[in-house]
Amino acid sequence: MRLVLLGPPGAGKGTQAAIISEKLGIPHISTGDLFRANIGEGTPLGVEAKEYIDAGKLVPTSVTARMVEERLAEADAKNGWLLDGFPRTVEQAEILEELLNSQGQKLDGVINFQVDEDTVVARMLARGRADDNEDTIRTRLQVYRDETAPLIDHYGDALINIDADGEVEQVNARTMEKLGK
Ligand code: ADP
């Protein structure tokens, strides 16, 4: 299966993605994790991305898309994947569509985690990752509203809406049920 995960920052995408990918036997490809790995290793891509991530802004699409394209070309991603954090803009969705088209592939679904803003802010503050301070969180939510939320309309019928407010297991159960797994 080829799946995309959507939802505001702090919606629990990473946590749920890890469980879904394990259950479906497909790799979990997280742009946030890929950026953090590059930052940790001090690669040129990591150095460039860090500036944007620390400010709560999106890393330029040219950089992000190339990183995703290279990751999707790896052997373990041949027969399916769960993309977490990409696409994050309509432009990125179009790049993904072109990439899939060029390989005669298509998305099987777009999982959209729905959770209110108060909940995501509380979760991010509790998690305390390097980019989880109050200013950055506010910026990321604004970026989500302006740039990522339009993907909900963009994907239309492909959207699988999940109520992401609840215990980790509960949210996973809702997701597996909607996926028919
Ligand atoms: P969260 O979903 O909690 O915002 P992520 O780990 O998915 O966290 O992303 C962390 C940061 O990495 C984002 O705030 C952004 O700066 C950058 N990033 C991740 N994915 C993308 C993307 N597709 N395009 C541009 N920047 C991205």
Side-chain angles (χ1 to χ4, degrees):
M1 285 190 113
R2 294 184 178 85
L3 299 169
V4 162
L5 268 184
L6 279 186
K13 294 190 299 288
T15 305
Q16 293 297 327
I19 306 172
I20 300 165
S21 93
E22 163 96 43
K23 288 191 176 171
L24 298 183
I26 50 177
H28 168 206
I29 299 178
S30 156
T31 47
D33 288 351
L34 289 171
F35 284 132
R36 284 184 286 275
N38 275 279
I39 291 169
E41 290 162 17
T43 67
L45 186 144
V47 172
E48 182 172 4
K50 187 175 188 309
E51 227 180 282
Y52 296 94
I53 291 175
D54 286 348
K57 295 182 179 159
L58 293 182
V59 178
T61 288
S62 53
V63 175
T64 309
R66 185 156 26 90
M67 177 179 79
V68 169
E69 204 170 327
E70 283 172 9
R71 180 62 188 88
L72 291 181
E74 285 177 32
D76 67 331
K78 229 186 155 102
N79 296 318
W81 32 254
L82 178 58
L83 263 181
D84 164 13
F86 189 95
R88 236 179 171 93
T89 65
V90 171
E91 183 195 9
Q92 292 181 3
E94 286 166 353
I95 291 173
L96 179 63
E97 267 145 41
E98 278 173 29
L99 183 67
L100 288 171
N101 282 339
S102 75
Q103 300 179 351
Q105 299 170 349
K106 62 171 193 58
L107 277 183
D108 293 297
V110 178
I111 302 170
N112 181 37
F113 284 131
Q114 298 176 305
V115 50
D116 65 61
E117 266 194 25
D118 290 345
T119 307
V120 300
V121 171
R123 284 184 187 171
M124 282 189 272
L125 288 173
R127 165 173 87 172
R129 208 171 64 194
D131 57 339
D132 283 342
N133 62 71
E134 245 180 288
D135 274 357
T136 312
I137 289 172
R138 208 168 301 125
T139 307
R140 279 152 65 203
L141 284 171
Q142 191 63 48
V143 170
Y144 171 78
R145 279 185 228 115
D146 293 344
E147 307 228 33
T148 308
L151 285 175
I152 292 171
D153 277 342
H154 178 84
Y155 280 122
D157 287 348
L159 222 59
I160 302 166
N161 286 311
I162 307 286
D163 172 8
D165 196 355
E167 299 293 321
V168 170
E169 272 314 315
Q170 206 176 11
V171 176
N172 177 252
R174 289 176 196 145
T175 310
M176 301 316 287
E177 194 192 326
K178 288 232 179 145
L179 288 175
K181 301 283 170 182

